[in-house]
């Protein structure tokens, strides 16, 4: 094929050159006995790999599958190995093809066809990895749009040429100039490092949260410190991979300092307040708190900027960390500390009030949530009302009298039943009305 393409654009001429080279290689392969032998070895290697995989995969599945309730390092390692079983066929085919390549090179002195087949098998393995093994959305996107195109270029033999072209193509932004290849490398490395950082942070956070002997506030602080350390290392690695000198961070830190001075005071204040709260342990996840402005709820999550409260009606309130430092905060929980509540009641004036404390205290003590420490139920005489004698009983429980817990309501039921069983009347307002006829007294 001798076409005159001198008048065509350079890209057309280059593509035509690639097509010509491919046509020449194809003719050589079709007419060469060595090439046909290599094709035959490729087919044989694939069929043999398929037969081996068909018998070996059920056996490996049975051996590697642990008991459903098995825990520990070895069961986890076996479950991890099971994930990669879809790669068994291409890996066996690759190994057999490599053996066939050595045979053909020793006999014919050439192995181009079978080497091409090995690259195709690697592409099949990469495709199985992306489609059947990788489950993380970010890694799946990277595999689909980066790994598979790179493997396709490698199979066709265009990978080195493509890399060279990307290295020679530059993008200019003012005084800044960088190659397209460096941009691609930055995106790939940044995505992988971000995923590794997120995965490491999740694993570290889960491990720290399981250490129940450590105070909850200390665990939260450790999680935040680990998060900063992990993503800090990822950032430094990314700068190194991208070829950005760390000395330029001095300028960046100066810009950040100016930004903090003008527009980021609140963000910095909230972040530092969050660290102080974690260090002092005044309020942490699980505590029920009430702020000075009346907002109240259980702390369900702490972030670098704010704490999230969940009210008893299921609503979430985002409260900046600074509010916990600069305003008054009432902590009702303090990680499981007891709280005191009281219930008021009255009895009629015909009652022997000396028996009331023992009767009511014994009734309240029957409630499973009522504590004997720091104090047992205490019945107090509060006053003499218009209709009856007023009493109050104080009792301690772990938790709050709201949401799923209705301590005061349940205690009122106990008091009512105890007074009724002992024949004690609970008074209600009574009025005596005297009516006189006119002219009488």
């Amino acid at each position: 094929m001798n076409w005159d393409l001198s008048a065509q654009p350079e890209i057309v001429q280059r593509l035509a050159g690639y097509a010509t080279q491919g046509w020449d290689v194809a003719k050589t392969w079709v007419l060469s006995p060595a090439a046909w032998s290599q094709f035959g070895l490729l087919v044989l290697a694939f069929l043999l790999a398929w037969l081996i995989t068909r018998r070996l995969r059920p056996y490996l599945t049975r051996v590697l599958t642990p008991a459903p309730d098995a825990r520990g390092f070895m069961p986890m390692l076996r479950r991890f190995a099971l994930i990669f079983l879809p790669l068994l066929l291409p890996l066996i085919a690759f190994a057999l093809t490599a053996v066939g390549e050595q045979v053909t090179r020793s006999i014919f002195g050439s192995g181009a066809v079978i080497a091409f087949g090995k690259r195709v098998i690697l592409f099949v393995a990469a495709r199985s990895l992306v489609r059947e093994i990788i489950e993380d959305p970010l890694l799946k996107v990277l595999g689909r749009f980066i790994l598979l195109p790179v493997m396709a270029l490698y199979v066709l033999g265009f990978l080195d040429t493509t890399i060279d072209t990307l290295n020679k193509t530059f993008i200019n932004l003012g005084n800044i100039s960088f190659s397209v290849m460096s941009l691609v490398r930055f995106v790939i490395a940044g995505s992988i490092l971000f995923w590794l950082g997120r995965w490491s942070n999740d694993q570290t956070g889960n491990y720290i949260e399981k250490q129940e002997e450590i105070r909850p506030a200390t665990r939260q602080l450790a999680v935040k410190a680990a998060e900063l350390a992990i993503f800090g290392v990822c950032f430094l690695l990314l700068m190194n991979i991208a070829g950005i000198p760390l000395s330029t961070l001095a300028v960046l830190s100066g810009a950040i300092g100016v930004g903090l001075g003008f527009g980021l005071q609140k963000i910095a204040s909230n972040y530092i307040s969050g660290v102080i709260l974690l260090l002092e342990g005044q309020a942490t996840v699980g505590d029920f708190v009430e702020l000075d402005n009346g907002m109240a709820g259980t702390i369900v999550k702490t972030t670098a900027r704010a704490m999230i409260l969940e009210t008893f009606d299921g609503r979430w309130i985002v409260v900046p960390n600074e509010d916990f430092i600069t305003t008054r905060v009432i902590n009702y929980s303090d990680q499981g500390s007891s709280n005191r509540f009281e219930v008021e009641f009255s009895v009629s004036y015909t009652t022997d009030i000396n028996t009331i404390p023992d009767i009511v205290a014994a009734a309240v003590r029957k409630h499973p949530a009522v504590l004997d420490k720091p104090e047992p139920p205490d019945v107090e005489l509060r006053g003499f009302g218009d209709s009856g004698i007023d009493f109050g009983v104080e009792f301690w429980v772990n938790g709050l009298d709201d949401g799923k817990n209705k301590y005061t309501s349940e205690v009122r039921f106990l008091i009512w039943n105890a007074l009724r069983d002992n024949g004690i009347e609970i008074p209600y307002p009574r009025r005596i009305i005297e009516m006189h006829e006119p002219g009488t007294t």
Side-chain angles (χ1 to χ4, degrees), residues 41 45 93-106 114 118:
L41 284 175
F94 182 84
L96 295 176
T97 305
V99 174
E101 182 182 10
Q102 297 298 322
V103 173
T104 55
R105 289 188 183 278
S106 63
I114 204 165
K118 286 172 59 179

Side-chain angles (χ1 to χ4, degrees), residues 38-64:
Q38 294 176 56
F39 277 122
L41 284 175
L42 280 174
V43 174
L44 180 63
F46 185 81
L47 290 176
L48 185 59
W50 180 78
L51 291 174
I52 295 174
T53 303
R54 185 178 179 182
R55 292 183 174 274
L56 187 59
R57 184 165 181 171
Y59 172 76
L60 291 177
T61 303
R62 185 172 62 256
V63 170
L64 293 176

Side-chain angles (χ1 to χ4, degrees), residues 217-438:
T218 306
R219 292 203 300 266
Q220 290 291 320
L221 180 61
V223 169
K224 295 300 180 184
E227 181 179 0
L228 287 175
I230 290 171
F231 283 103
V233 171
C234 291
F235 175 76
L236 294 178
L237 289 175
L238 182 59
M239 293 297 101
N240 188 32
I241 293 173
I244 300 175
L246 297 180
S247 59
T248 58
L249 295 179
V251 178
L252 179 61
S253 62
I256 293 176
V258 174
L260 290 175
F262 285 98
L264 304 178
Q265 303 99 322
K266 287 293 183 182
I267 296 178
S269 176
N270 287 321
Y271 183 81
I272 296 173
S273 298
V275 174
I276 294 174
L277 288 170
L278 291 174
L279 286 172
E280 295 183 351
Q282 294 177 350
T284 186
V285 175
D287 288 352
F288 185 88
V289 296
E290 180 180 353
L291 302 181
D292 201 23
N293 56 9
M295 291 188 298
T298 302
I299 301 176
V300 294
K301 185 178 181 181
T302 62
T303 65
R305 186 188 66 85
M307 286 195 178
I308 299 177
L309 310 183
E310 183 178 12
T311 62
F312 285 119
D313 56 4
R315 299 178 181 179
W316 279 22
I317 304 174
V318 180
V319 182
N321 290 328
E322 185 182 10
D323 290 357
F324 283 84
I325 300 296
T326 59
T327 62
R328 185 185 65 176
V329 179
I330 302 175
N331 192 333
Y332 290 95
S333 298
D334 192 21
Q335 286 301 307
S337 64
S338 54
N339 296 296
R340 190 186 72 175
F341 299 98
E342 65 177 44
V343 172
E344 296 181 345
F345 63 96
S346 299
V347 299
S348 66
Y349 277 99
T350 61
T351 305
D352 181 5
I353 62 174
N354 296 302
T355 62
I356 296 300
D358 293 336
I359 294 174
V360 174
V364 175
R365 195 177 287 112
K366 293 179 181 179
H367 193 287
V370 173
L371 307 174
D372 288 330
K373 294 181 179 181
E375 294 179 2
D378 179 33
V379 180
E380 298 177 350
L381 178 62
R382 297 293 174 81
F384 301 98
D386 295 337
S387 302
I389 304 174
D390 300 328
F391 284 88
V393 58
E394 299 173 348
F395 58 94
W396 291 79
V397 293
N398 277 328
L400 298 170
D401 184 35
D402 206 338
K404 63 181 180 180
N405 300 319
K406 304 293 183 183
Y407 299 123
T408 54
S409 175
E410 294 165 356
V411 167
R412 285 191 178 98
F413 274 103
L414 293 174
I415 294 174
W416 170 272
N417 293 328
L419 296 179
R420 183 193 60 187
D421 294 342
N422 287 273
I424 299 173
E425 180 185 359
I426 296 179
Y428 53 89
R430 297 179 181 179
R431 296 292 184 267
I432 298 176
I433 301 175
E434 295 184 359
M435 301 181 65
H436 299 276
E437 293 182 2

